[in-house]
Amino acid sequence: METAQHIRILDAEGQLLARAAEEAGTEAKVPTCPGWQVRDLVRHTGMVHRWATAFVAEGRTSYHPGEGLPDLDGTELLTWFREGHRRLVDTLAGAPADVDCWSFLPAPSPLAFWARRQAHETTVHRYDAESALAGTPSPIAVDFALDGIDELLLGFHARKKSRVRTEVPRVLRVRAEDTDAVWTVRLSPEPPVSELGELTGADCELAGPAAELYLSLWNRRPFPSVTGDSSIATLWRETSAVN
């Protein structure tokens, strides 16, 4: 996907998140994030938006931590969130394509990385916010869901930080049934090695529509379908959380 597409999605998803949070109320529980209320979700996502903005806006070329969570609630918190989200969108949209700043996953450029990462960060948390409401959550486009699965498997879980490991080598297949996209994930005592494409001999397959797989791989929904050794699906559930 192009950077401009990611920025448009980030823009729309942030607005949906704020709307859902306002409708649910900041005291509402977030079923997809046990122990969190909507205020925790909004504070976290707003902090991440400001953290990301600083790298691009200030050209920071090394890691720095976020500024912490605000002591805000209710209308003031939602206004704070909307202001930070707007600044992130505007910063990314106005940044030069060759902006030099820190990033932490492979990407064509730092700008492409931050636009993609924040689009997916915000989409997953928008789904969290909508889970605090009754009704059907907003849809996720197939191409964007596939992009997010790719980022998660080939980006996040290729890092040394990934805890998805097995003593005995195993193979996990992830299949998006509404497209021809298939990922093969090799598990071992080392970080997972993933590639786009199907290899024979998978020990477990996770399958379903791309949007459902996207959310389930981020541990927001049950896996649509698990075939083969279900302990591998359980391993994913228990160890794949990204910090």
Side-chain angles (χ1 to χ4, degrees), residues 51-128:
W51 177 71
T53 298
F55 287 109
V56 180
E58 300 172 20
R60 295 185 175 186
T61 56
S62 61
Y63 171 81
H64 75 94
E67 296 181 356
L69 303 177
D71 186 19
L72 298 172
D73 203 352
T75 301
E76 288 184 342
L77 176 60
L78 291 170
T79 298
W80 173 86
F81 173 83
R82 287 184 168 111
E83 289 173 351
H85 169 251
R86 176 49 45 200
R87 182 159 184 254
L88 172 61
V89 171
D90 291 347
T91 295
L92 293 172
D98 61 351
V99 63
D100 183 23
C101 63
W102 180 83
S103 58
F104 61 88
L105 294 179
S109 69
L111 180 62
F113 163 79
W114 282 112
R116 183 194 204 192
R117 177 79 293 276
Q118 291 308 299
H120 289 294
E121 174 87 13
T122 307
T123 298
V124 171
H125 288 319
R126 180 272 299 166
Y127 182 82
D128 291 332

Side-chain angles (χ1 to χ4, degrees), residues 8-21 81-82 85-86 122 126:
R8 286 195 295 271
I9 291 169
L10 166 62
D11 191 357
E13 293 287 340
Q15 293 183 54
L16 287 172
L17 191 161
R19 190 179 309 154
F81 173 83
R82 287 184 168 111
H85 169 251
R86 176 49 45 200
T122 307
R126 180 272 299 166

Side-chain angles (χ1 to χ4, degrees), residues 163-166 172 187 204-206 216-217 219 223 226-241:
R163 297 181 299 114
V164 185
R165 304 184 185 213
T166 56
L172 170 66
L187 304 175
C204 176
E205 179 174 289
L206 308 177
S216 64
L217 288 166
N219 294 324
F223 291 116
V226 179
T227 56
D229 185 353
S230 63
S231 70
I232 298 176
T234 301
L235 174 75
W236 184 274
R237 283 275 184 238
E238 294 177 347
T239 63
S240 66

Side-chain angles (χ1 to χ4, degrees), residues 188-201:
S188 74
E190 299 299 318
V193 176
S194 302
E195 59 184 287
L196 187 59
E198 181 172 359
L199 299 179
T200 59

